[in-house]
Amino acid sequence: MIKPRIVIKLSGSLFNFDTNSVQLNDYIQLIKKISNVYQPVIITGGGKIARFYINLSRSLGMDESGLDLIGIQVSHLNARLLISGLRENCYPLPPRNLEEISVALLSGLVIITGGIYPGQSTNATSALIAERIGATKFYNATDVDGIYDSDPRANPAANKYDKINVQDCVSILKSEKSMAGTYDLMDLISLKVIERSNLPTVVFKSTVDNIEKLVLDNVKMGTEITI
Amino acid sequence: MIKPRIVIKLSGSLFNFDTNSVQLNDYIQLIKKISNVYQPVIITGGGKIARFYINLSRSLGMDESGLDLIGIQVSHLNARLLISGLRENCYPLPPRNLEEISVALLSGLVIITGGIYPGQSTNATSALIAERIGATKFYNATDVDGIYDSDPRANPAANKYDKINVQDCVSILKSEKSMAGTYDLMDLISLKVIERSNLPTVVFKSTVDNIEKLVLDNVKMGTEITI
Amino acid sequence: MIKPRIVIKLSGSLFNFDTNSVQLNDYIQLIKKISNVYQPVIITGGGKIARFYINLSRSLGMDESGLDLIGIQVSHLNARLLISGLRENCYPLPPRNLEEISVALLSGLVIITGGIYPGQSTNATSALIAERIGATKFYNATDVDGIYDSDPRANPAANKYDKINVQDCVSILKSEKSMAGTYDLMDLISLKVIERSNLPTVVFKSTVDNIEKLVLDNVKMGTEITI
Amino acid sequence: MIKPRIVIKLSGSLFNFDTNSVQLNDYIQLIKKISNVYQPVIITGGGKIARFYINLSRSLGMDESGLDLIGIQVSHLNARLLISGLRENCYPLPPRNLEEISVALLSGLVIITGGIYPGQSTNATSALIAERIGATKFYNATDVDGIYDSDPRANPAANKYDKINVQDCVSILKSEKSMAGTYDLMDLISLKVIERSNLPTVVFKSTVDNIEKLVLDNVKMGTEITI
Amino acid sequence: MIKPRIVIKLSGSLFNFDTNSVQLNDYIQLIKKISNVYQPVIITGGGKIARFYINLSRSLGMDESGLDLIGIQVSHLNARLLISGLRENCYPLPPRNLEEISVALLSGLVIITGGIYPGQSTNATSALIAERIGATKFYNATDVDGIYDSDPRANPAANKYDKINVQDCVSILKSEKSMAGTYDLMDLISLKVIERSNLPTVVFKSTVDNIEKLVLDNVKMGTEITI
Amino acid sequence: MIKPRIVIKLSGSLFNFDTNSVQLNDYIQLIKKISNVYQPVIITGGGKIARFYINLSRSLGMDESGLDLIGIQVSHLNARLLISGLRENCYPLPPRNLEEISVALLSGLVIITGGIYPGQSTNATSALIAERIGATKFYNATDVDGIYDSDPRANPAANKYDKINVQDCVSILKSEKSMAGTYDLMDLISLKVIERSNLPTVVFKSTVDNIEKLVLDNVKMGTEITI
């Protein structure tokens, strides 16, 4: 009777000073559709508005972990945009920590939240949430279309992995040259969490279509991280 | 030993997508200076970023009091910008309600916060805070330079009051034609609060210079609301 | 499956030093009956006990917004009286703000609460709650039987409106002479909220019978505020 | 530099439907005077208003521990009456549990609170607070003038103790016949707490004069409970 | 549709430095079975780990009510052990007070918690919870097999009661000689609560088998406290 | 007037089932001494008791991030041991997140806390706290005496660094073979935080003597991480 739970991390780039309601509405309608089959927890990044507040605060003298807290708050504002459109279909607030998430889950509704812990990327937070709720899969929607053996922006001959073992992924992440390119995809905490919990994960380019194909139509896409 | 307390409401227009650290730093330095003489509570409006989130959320279907809550959250992000620059000189968080403000006040530090209650303008909230903390004066920094007998933007012959009795101010506010123009200055709840607590209030154009002159140099400016 | 939601504001005069359980039980039984058809949020006023605490605290030196907080707390004690009788049929606590109300609502149970924000009448609070929960109607049970074109206590020839447009209602409220009489019925914040959310509202004399007729039997009564 | 801390429990009978500001003001002025020498934590009982709400709620069907919670809330309203008069001299809120009390204490201000835990008399709560804050003495102001060897209301020949050992006090409390009379003075939890922490305690008739003599003039009065 | 609610207090001796998962799993499986018929609230004691922390803290200088708070925290860690095994079948957190318990109850799930109020044994807390939730029975699983007319460890001829009236139980508890032996079974607050709420209670030796027989098979065992 | 702030992370190995008050008291006396010169924030690890609860909970089925939460709670119990001995010299509670820490800091007292965020080691948490409070130095007391170029337990010829650049430290951490040995010393989040905030850090073997020499006598010891 309880629907399987999944975690979908939405790229922060969805949230910007020129984001409009049509774009967001496409995501909202898809989330409603997904919620017929799964109970999804959606994590929104902070995006450009977060960077605006963070840069301004940093230049005024705020410490780095204080900046993390500011970024988290912007990601929660972004979460409220999706809540605005999902209304009765979602929990009415973005939960603020893992314990609130596990209580919110009892409602059976879609959960929308943002970052929750300073010092952690929303990727890492999403993986922790996936652990906590026993998610059957972690969908990491990003700005690139998967994990490459070297930075695809620097190296046109870079090869995308269809599948990659979590430990190989750690190795790539640790090799100096690819760090810049993959950092935004998966960081070491996310990978540690994926590994310790055997969490099936896929990294792919964030579009409404791609999410729908992956989550609902089971199409292969992006890079699957295996254990 | 306890410094007199004052409330300064900063116009939301200070906070915008192109706000830079130099502008904010001028305010921050002034607040530091003021804090040698007074314990100020500073209330930040939501400004254009609040309106961006509110418009987007409304178009997605959020109810109006839910939009108020979103506006409050943006005003708190704006508060954190000032906290970034004031650091040790201010309370490290924006308090979230009147009770938290009265506890924060015990620190002796500058308090920076934003809106706190849905259904109320930051003007009204500022007046309530002024009541709660026993402020000796409420400085309402706005986008116009005082209260007029008719809307100065529509009527070039409009006269600015140097002083106006709170009940006359209510009458102007109630007369249909001036409503649009004065709404942003003072709304009825603010005036009710000012009246019930005999709260000395001044409405004036928000600039660093004006605030300094009014608060520290006791220069007359804008419109004083008398009881 | 989800019942339509309504807001019923109960006149504070129901709660007094000589209130007895028979009177309250009539309301409780009616609320149970209503909950078969609707999910009601009931807002209790503070009444005479609130005024007792407020007057005593004011004479001892409490500031006005501090008095608002005291009045809110008494209204919550009054809410607990109804909770005592509704037991399993209602949410076990009076929620303390709009966000707690939206979570409590997920229980599907009757919600009983009191005032929530200082500086606002329970009328205004009730209208905000009605917005937040998407209420199909706001039933404002008061001490008079509707809205008049002038104060019925002063002017025996005063005419009661069956219907009145929200903007006409604002005009009456703003005209000096009728203010005293109508203030307790609807204040400007309530009306602003009713207007901004197109909230169907009826103002009527608070009796168990009247509430039953209006809510369950759809009988016309009191004054309907139209948009 | 830190003042010694004491606990004063005020009889609930001070708070009633006809309590006036003159009576309360006498206590408030005395507390200010005491705060020059000590940092007092004052605990207010619920009194007749608590009993009114409790009786009404019980007759409507509230369970007993739910009634305890209601009594606690009324005692906090009573605490706010004293806070109204003490203003800057006291912590602005009644703390809600032992942890909040230990934080509030850091302010150096007078702390005013009421009951905090269901299932416990305000006597017991006061003794726990005295433990927590390292109070040098627990002043228990009650409706009788000390502890008797039998119920003074039933037995005119009853003898008042000037001093009594805590274990003898337990014995009296346990003997059936005196239970009714002494129950309100000290209950078993209070005595257990007094014993386990060697807490110097005095039980005496609550008047402003008596509190002043005992606390400030070190006059012997009532019954001292020794370890 | 709502299952009857019961309270089961588990002896703290279940939680120890050598507790293993097999022992706990037996309890967990039983609780799952019980939850098919009842909605149980399970209260875990602190046991030896609590005593370890309490003794160490006391020797370092912590006050007694501070030690109560530490004991409560360890009992909550113990509660999390059971939550670990019950997962989807129980509320995901141990509620921290009576109000949180009444909200958690709405989930329809098993509730696991520990001590909640300083100055009270987990027996007393369990009885308060039983009151609050309208439990049909309070199962007090202890280290002895019932209530005796004198301490069975000191007096081999001591007789166990099959039934005992709550007031006789108070008398035994009050008689000096039996105090030590019975203290851990039932203390005076528990008995006061049982009496004021006519709460059916049984005291018995804590084993998985005994709990199953008593709760599910309605076998008579231990000592029943009657009103 | 404000003392410089430092962060001291105490090895979890200090807290164990056989920890006694003499050992802890040595640390407590040292912390008092340090607090004459600095305002320290002390972070306690979870140690063996945390591992006991974590292993037991894991074997019962708790998810990994739920286990992190359990470990955090044990570290807070350990924090309370130090609070027991420091009493008036420290903040009375372990703060639960960065925001609570920044408020607690205003007291001017020593702050004792444990882990705060799941998915992060107490090292990483300590570094975040150091950032937040503007610590002049982060003292990381561990079970080994510094950072080596390879694992000293496996390789007797391993060389300890007196100083190491943070980026070299990252490289060592990333090289497979040394990972096991250095993991407990510094993990990647800690190093990222140290780097982004130019946080002076020293890693050394945790003894009372060593902490005293490093913090108060400015003796060089262990490995300094430079930027």
Side-chain angles (χ1 to χ4, degrees):
Chain A
M1 199 123 30
I2 286 175
K3 295 174 195 158
R5 291 161 179 167
I6 57 174
V7 163
I8 306 174
K9 196 241 145 181
L10 294 181
S11 168
S13 61
L14 182 58
F15 304 99
N16 201 336
F17 295 111
D18 55 10
T19 297
N20 62 52
S21 59
V22 176
Q23 296 166 284
L24 292 179
N25 200 42
D26 285 347
Y27 280 90
I28 288 162
Q29 296 315 317
L30 174 60
I31 294 168
K32 280 190 197 169
K33 226 163 134 183
I34 289 173
S35 73
N36 293 324
V37 188
Y38 298 102
Q39 183 180 25
V41 176
I42 312 289
I43 290 97
T44 55
K48 280 207 181 146
I49 302 179
R51 277 193 292 283
F52 166 75
Y53 272 105
I54 286 171
N55 290 338
L56 198 44
S57 290
R58 183 185 282 116
S59 70
L60 289 164
M62 179 57 83
D63 60 275
E64 290 294 316
S65 59
L67 297 175
D68 289 348
L69 293 170
I70 286 171
I72 287 169
Q73 290 193 308
V74 176
S75 71
H76 280 245
L77 274 167
N78 294 341
R80 292 203 185 241
L81 292 172
L82 298 183
I83 289 172
S84 296
L86 281 159
R87 294 300 311 257
E88 306 289 312
N89 299 283
C90 76
Y91 196 75
L93 310 172
R96 288 165 301 179
N97 54 49
L98 288 184
E99 304 242 308
E100 287 188 13
I101 287 173
S102 50
V103 172
L105 221 54
L106 301 178
S107 67
L109 299 167
V110 176
I111 314 292
I112 317 278
T113 192
I116 51 182
Y117 300 122
Q120 293 178 355
S121 68
T122 39
N123 283 333
T125 292
S126 301
L128 282 169
I129 291 172
E131 271 187 333
R132 188 79 258 259
I133 69 169
T136 55
K137 193 142 193 178
F138 167 25
Y139 296 91
N140 191 347
T142 72
D143 295 342
V144 298
D145 61 354
I147 298 175
Y148 283 79
D149 59 359
S150 62
D151 186 345
R153 288 170 297 190
N155 176 8
N159 288 307
K160 183 165 76 72
Y161 293 99
D162 288 338
K163 287 196 181 192
I164 182 171
N165 186 281
V166 66
Q167 269 153 347
D168 294 337
C169 196
V170 168
S171 301
I172 293 176
L173 195 54
K174 281 182 176 170
S175 74
E176 213 90 6
K177 43 190 182 295
S178 65
M179 197 166 193
T182 48
Y183 182 81
D184 294 339
L185 301 188
M186 291 310 274
D187 50 68
L188 277 178
I189 315 181
S190 327
L191 292 173
K192 186 184 82 180
V193 169
I194 287 167
E195 189 178 13
R196 75 178 184 182
S197 291
N198 295 326
L199 182 62
T201 299
V202 59
V203 177
F204 62 101
K205 189 165 179 64
S206 183
T207 69
V208 170
D209 263 14
N210 284 351
I211 297 175
E212 179 156 16
K213 280 186 192 143
L214 267 160
V215 176
L216 293 180
D217 306 336
N218 240 337
V219 172
K220 298 284 170 203
M221 199 185 303
T223 301
E224 204 170 322
I225 301 177
T226 59
I227 314 300
Chain B
M1 200 124 27
I2 286 175
K3 295 175 196 160
R5 290 161 180 168
I6 58 175
V7 163
I8 306 174
K9 195 243 146 179
L10 294 181
S11 168
S13 61
L14 182 57
F15 303 99
N16 202 336
F17 294 112
D18 55 9
T19 298
N20 61 52
S21 59
V22 176
Q23 296 166 284
L24 291 179
N25 200 42
D26 285 348
Y27 280 90
I28 288 162
Q29 297 315 318
L30 174 60
I31 294 167
K32 281 190 196 170
K33 226 163 133 182
I34 289 172
S35 73
N36 293 324
V37 188
Y38 298 102
Q39 183 180 24
V41 176
I42 313 290
I43 290 96
T44 55
K48 279 204 181 149
I49 302 177
R51 277 193 292 283
F52 166 76
Y53 272 105
I54 286 171
N55 291 338
L56 198 44
S57 290
R58 183 186 282 116
S59 70
L60 289 164
M62 179 57 82
D63 60 275
E64 290 295 316
S65 59
L67 297 175
D68 289 348
L69 293 170
I70 286 172
I72 287 169
Q73 290 193 309
V74 177
S75 72
H76 280 245
L77 273 168
N78 293 340
R80 292 200 185 242
L81 292 173
L82 298 182
I83 289 172
S84 295
L86 282 159
R87 294 300 312 255
E88 307 288 311
N89 299 282
C90 77
Y91 195 75
L93 312 170
R96 287 165 302 179
N97 55 48
L98 288 183
E99 304 243 310
E100 286 188 12
I101 287 173
S102 50
V103 172
L105 221 53
L106 301 178
S107 68
L109 298 168
V110 176
I111 313 292
I112 316 278
T113 192
I116 51 182
Y117 299 122
Q120 293 178 357
S121 67
T122 39
N123 284 333
T125 293
S126 300
L128 282 169
I129 292 172
E131 270 187 334
R132 187 77 258 259
I133 70 169
T136 54
K137 194 143 193 177
F138 168 24
Y139 296 91
N140 192 347
T142 72
D143 295 341
V144 298
D145 61 354
I147 298 174
Y148 283 78
D149 57 0
S150 62
D151 186 343
R153 288 170 298 190
N155 176 7
N159 288 307
K160 184 166 75 71
Y161 293 98
D162 288 338
K163 287 194 179 193
I164 183 170
N165 186 283
V166 66
Q167 270 153 344
D168 295 337
C169 196
V170 169
S171 302
I172 293 176
L173 195 54
K174 282 181 175 169
S175 73
E176 211 90 6
K177 44 190 181 298
S178 65
M179 199 166 191
T182 49
Y183 181 80
D184 293 338
L185 301 188
M186 292 309 277
D187 51 69
L188 277 179
I189 314 180
S190 326
L191 292 173
K192 186 184 82 178
V193 169
I194 287 168
E195 189 177 13
R196 76 180 184 180
S197 291
N198 294 325
L199 182 63
T201 300
V202 59
V203 177
F204 62 100
K205 189 164 181 64
S206 184
T207 69
V208 171
D209 263 13
N210 284 352
I211 297 175
E212 178 156 16
K213 278 184 194 146
L214 268 159
V215 176
L216 292 181
D217 305 337
N218 240 337
V219 172
K220 297 285 172 205
M221 201 186 302
T223 301
E224 203 171 323
I225 301 177
T226 60
I227 314 300
Chain C
M1 199 124 30
I2 285 176
K3 297 174 194 159
R5 290 163 179 167
I6 57 174
V7 163
I8 306 175
K9 196 243 145 181
L10 294 180
S11 168
S13 61
L14 182 58
F15 303 98
N16 201 337
F17 295 111
D18 54 10
T19 297
N20 62 51
S21 59
V22 177
Q23 296 166 283
L24 292 179
N25 200 42
D26 285 349
Y27 280 90
I28 288 161
Q29 296 314 317
L30 174 59
I31 294 167
K32 281 190 196 169
K33 228 162 131 182
I34 289 172
S35 73
N36 293 324
V37 188
Y38 297 103
Q39 183 180 25
V41 176
I42 313 289
I43 290 96
T44 56
K48 280 206 180 148
I49 302 178
R51 278 194 291 282
F52 166 75
Y53 271 105
I54 286 171
N55 290 338
L56 198 44
S57 290
R58 185 186 280 116
S59 70
L60 289 164
M62 179 57 83
D63 60 275
E64 290 295 315
S65 60
L67 297 175
D68 289 348
L69 293 170
I70 286 172
I72 286 168
Q73 290 192 308
V74 176
S75 72
H76 280 244
L77 273 167
N78 294 340
R80 292 204 184 241
L81 291 173
L82 298 182
I83 289 172
S84 295
L86 282 160
R87 294 301 309 256
E88 307 288 313
N89 299 284
C90 75
Y91 195 75
L93 309 172
R96 288 165 301 179
N97 53 50
L98 288 184
E99 304 243 308
E100 286 188 11
I101 287 173
S102 50
V103 171
L105 221 53
L106 300 179
S107 67
L109 298 168
V110 176
I111 314 291
I112 316 278
T113 191
I116 51 181
Y117 298 123
Q120 292 178 356
S121 69
T122 38
N123 284 333
T125 292
S126 301
L128 282 169
I129 291 172
E131 270 187 335
R132 188 79 257 260
I133 70 170
T136 55
K137 194 144 194 178
F138 168 23
Y139 296 90
N140 192 347
T142 71
D143 296 341
V144 298
D145 60 356
I147 297 175
Y148 283 79
D149 58 359
S150 62
D151 186 345
R153 288 169 299 190
N155 175 9
N159 288 307
K160 185 166 76 69
Y161 293 98
D162 288 338
K163 287 194 179 192
I164 182 170
N165 186 282
V166 65
Q167 269 154 345
D168 295 335
C169 196
V170 169
S171 301
I172 293 176
L173 194 55
K174 280 182 176 171
S175 73
E176 211 91 5
K177 43 189 182 296
S178 66
M179 197 167 194
T182 48
Y183 182 81
D184 294 338
L185 301 189
M186 290 311 270
D187 50 69
L188 278 179
I189 314 180
S190 326
L191 293 173
K192 185 184 82 178
V193 170
I194 288 167
E195 190 178 12
R196 76 180 183 180
S197 291
N198 294 327
L199 182 63
T201 299
V202 58
V203 176
F204 62 101
K205 189 164 180 62
S206 182
T207 68
V208 170
D209 263 15
N210 285 351
I211 297 174
E212 179 156 16
K213 280 186 193 142
L214 268 159
V215 176
L216 294 180
D217 306 337
N218 239 337
V219 172
K220 298 284 172 205
M221 201 186 304
T223 300
E224 204 170 323
I225 301 177
T226 59
I227 313 302
Chain D
M1 199 121 29
I2 286 176
K3 295 174 195 161
R5 290 161 179 168
I6 58 175
V7 164
I8 306 175
K9 194 242 146 181
L10 294 181
S11 168
S13 61
L14 182 58
F15 303 98
N16 201 336
F17 294 112
D18 55 10
T19 297
N20 62 52
S21 60
V22 176
Q23 295 166 284
L24 292 179
N25 200 42
D26 285 349
Y27 280 90
I28 287 161
Q29 296 314 317
L30 174 59
I31 294 167
K32 281 189 196 169
K33 227 163 131 182
I34 288 172
S35 73
N36 293 324
V37 188
Y38 298 102
Q39 184 181 23
V41 176
I42 312 289
I43 289 97
T44 56
K48 280 204 181 150
I49 302 179
R51 278 193 291 283
F52 166 76
Y53 272 105
I54 286 171
N55 290 338
L56 198 45
S57 289
R58 184 185 282 115
S59 69
L60 289 164
M62 179 57 82
D63 60 274
E64 290 295 316
S65 59
L67 297 175
D68 289 348
L69 293 171
I70 286 172
I72 286 168
Q73 290 192 308
V74 177
S75 72
H76 280 244
L77 273 168
N78 294 341
R80 292 204 185 240
L81 292 173
L82 298 183
I83 289 172
S84 295
L86 282 159
R87 295 300 312 254
E88 306 288 312
N89 299 282
C90 76
Y91 195 75
L93 310 171
R96 287 164 303 178
N97 54 49
L98 288 183
E99 304 243 309
E100 286 188 12
I101 287 173
S102 51
V103 171
L105 220 54
L106 301 178
S107 67
L109 298 168
V110 176
I111 314 292
I112 316 277
T113 192
I116 51 183
Y117 299 123
Q120 293 179 356
S121 68
T122 38
N123 283 334
T125 292
S126 301
L128 282 169
I129 292 172
E131 270 187 335
R132 189 78 257 258
I133 69 169
T136 55
K137 196 145 193 176
F138 169 23
Y139 296 90
N140 192 346
T142 72
D143 296 342
V144 298
D145 60 355
I147 297 174
Y148 283 79
D149 58 0
S150 61
D151 186 344
R153 289 170 297 191
N155 175 8
N159 288 306
K160 184 166 76 69
Y161 293 98
D162 288 340
K163 288 195 179 189
I164 182 170
N165 185 283
V166 65
Q167 271 154 345
D168 294 337
C169 197
V170 168
S171 302
I172 293 176
L173 194 55
K174 281 181 175 171
S175 72
E176 212 90 6
K177 45 189 182 294
S178 65
M179 198 165 192
T182 48
Y183 182 81
D184 294 339
L185 302 188
M186 292 309 276
D187 51 69
L188 278 178
I189 315 181
S190 326
L191 292 173
K192 187 184 82 179
V193 170
I194 288 167
E195 191 178 9
R196 76 179 185 180
S197 291
N198 294 326
L199 182 62
T201 299
V202 59
V203 177
F204 62 100
K205 190 165 179 64
S206 182
T207 69
V208 171
D209 263 15
N210 284 352
I211 297 175
E212 178 156 18
K213 279 186 193 144
L214 267 159
V215 176
L216 293 180
D217 306 337
N218 240 337
V219 172
K220 297 283 171 204
M221 201 185 304
T223 300
E224 204 171 323
I225 300 177
T226 60
I227 313 302
Chain E
M1 199 122 31
I2 286 176
K3 294 175 196 159
R5 290 162 180 168
I6 57 174
V7 163
I8 305 175
K9 194 243 146 180
L10 294 180
S11 169
S13 61
L14 182 58
F15 303 98
N16 201 337
F17 295 110
D18 54 10
T19 298
N20 62 52
S21 60
V22 177
Q23 294 167 286
L24 292 179
N25 200 42
D26 285 348
Y27 279 90
I28 287 162
Q29 296 315 317
L30 174 60
I31 293 168
K32 281 190 196 169
K33 226 162 131 183
I34 289 172
S35 74
N36 293 324
V37 188
Y38 298 102
Q39 184 180 24
V41 177
I42 312 289
I43 290 98
T44 56
K48 279 205 182 149
I49 302 179
R51 277 193 292 283
F52 166 75
Y53 271 105
I54 286 172
N55 290 337
L56 198 45
S57 289
R58 183 186 283 116
S59 70
L60 289 165
M62 180 56 84
D63 60 276
E64 290 294 318
S65 59
L67 297 175
D68 289 348
L69 293 169
I70 287 171
I72 286 168
Q73 290 193 308
V74 176
S75 72
H76 280 244
L77 274 167
N78 293 340
R80 292 203 185 240
L81 292 173
L82 298 182
I83 290 172
S84 296
L86 282 159
R87 294 299 312 256
E88 305 288 312
N89 299 282
C90 76
Y91 195 75
L93 311 171
R96 287 165 302 179
N97 55 48
L98 288 184
E99 304 243 309
E100 286 188 13
I101 287 173
S102 49
V103 171
L105 221 53
L106 301 177
S107 66
L109 298 168
V110 177
I111 314 292
I112 316 278
T113 191
I116 50 182
Y117 299 123
Q120 293 178 356
S121 68
T122 37
N123 283 333
T125 292
S126 300
L128 282 169
I129 291 171
E131 270 187 333
R132 188 79 258 258
I133 69 170
T136 55
K137 194 143 193 177
F138 168 23
Y139 296 91
N140 192 346
T142 72
D143 295 341
V144 298
D145 60 354
I147 298 174
Y148 283 78
D149 59 0
S150 61
D151 186 344
R153 289 170 298 190
N155 176 8
N159 289 307
K160 184 167 75 69
Y161 292 98
D162 288 339
K163 287 195 179 191
I164 182 170
N165 186 282
V166 66
Q167 270 154 345
D168 293 337
C169 196
V170 169
S171 301
I172 293 176
L173 194 55
K174 281 181 175 171
S175 73
E176 212 90 7
K177 43 190 182 296
S178 65
M179 198 164 195
T182 48
Y183 181 81
D184 293 339
L185 302 188
M186 292 310 275
D187 51 69
L188 278 178
I189 315 181
S190 326
L191 292 173
K192 187 183 83 178
V193 169
I194 288 168
E195 189 177 11
R196 75 179 185 182
S197 291
N198 295 326
L199 181 63
T201 299
V202 58
V203 177
F204 63 101
K205 190 163 179 64
S206 183
T207 69
V208 170
D209 263 14
N210 284 350
I211 296 176
E212 178 155 17
K213 281 186 193 144
L214 268 159
V215 176
L216 292 181
D217 305 336
N218 239 337
V219 173
K220 297 285 170 204
M221 201 186 304
T223 300
E224 204 171 321
I225 300 177
T226 60
I227 314 302
Chain F
M1 199 124 29
I2 286 176
K3 296 175 196 159
R5 290 162 180 169
I6 57 174
V7 162
I8 305 174
K9 195 243 147 181
L10 294 180
S11 167
S13 61
L14 182 58
F15 303 99
N16 201 335
F17 294 113
D18 55 9
T19 297
N20 62 52
S21 59
V22 176
Q23 295 166 284
L24 292 179
N25 200 44
D26 285 348
Y27 279 90
I28 288 162
Q29 296 315 316
L30 174 60
I31 294 168
K32 281 191 196 168
K33 227 162 131 181
I34 288 173
S35 73
N36 293 324
V37 188
Y38 298 102
Q39 183 179 25
V41 176
I42 312 289
I43 290 96
T44 56
K48 281 206 180 146
I49 302 179
R51 277 193 293 282
F52 166 75
Y53 272 105
I54 286 171
N55 290 338
L56 198 44
S57 290
R58 184 185 283 115
S59 70
L60 289 164
M62 178 57 82
D63 61 274
E64 290 294 317
S65 60
L67 297 175
D68 288 348
L69 294 170
I70 286 172
I72 286 169
Q73 290 192 309
V74 176
S75 72
H76 280 245
L77 273 167
N78 293 342
R80 292 203 185 240
L81 292 173
L82 298 182
I83 289 173
S84 295
L86 281 160
R87 294 301 311 257
E88 307 288 314
N89 299 284
C90 76
Y91 196 74
L93 310 171
R96 287 166 301 180
N97 54 49
L98 288 183
E99 304 243 308
E100 285 188 13
I101 287 173
S102 51
V103 172
L105 220 55
L106 301 178
S107 66
L109 297 168
V110 176
I111 313 293
I112 316 278
T113 192
I116 50 183
Y117 299 122
Q120 292 178 356
S121 68
T122 38
N123 284 333
T125 292
S126 300
L128 282 169
I129 292 172
E131 271 187 333
R132 188 78 259 259
I133 70 171
T136 55
K137 193 143 193 177
F138 168 23
Y139 296 91
N140 192 347
T142 71
D143 295 341
V144 298
D145 61 354
I147 298 174
Y148 283 78
D149 58 0
S150 62
D151 186 344
R153 290 170 297 191
N155 175 9
N159 288 307
K160 184 167 76 69
Y161 293 98
D162 288 338
K163 289 194 179 190
I164 183 170
N165 186 282
V166 66
Q167 270 153 344
D168 294 336
C169 196
V170 168
S171 301
I172 293 177
L173 195 55
K174 281 181 176 172
S175 73
E176 212 92 4
K177 45 189 181 296
S178 66
M179 199 165 193
T182 48
Y183 182 81
D184 293 338
L185 301 188
M186 292 310 277
D187 50 68
L188 277 178
I189 315 180
S190 326
L191 292 173
K192 186 184 82 179
V193 169
I194 287 167
E195 188 178 12
R196 75 179 185 181
S197 291
N198 295 326
L199 182 62
T201 299
V202 59
V203 176
F204 61 100
K205 190 165 180 62
S206 182
T207 69
V208 170
D209 262 15
N210 284 352
I211 297 175
E212 178 156 15
K213 280 186 194 143
L214 267 160
V215 177
L216 293 180
D217 305 337
N218 239 337
V219 172
K220 298 283 171 205
M221 202 185 304
T223 300
E224 205 170 322
I225 301 177
T226 59
I227 314 301

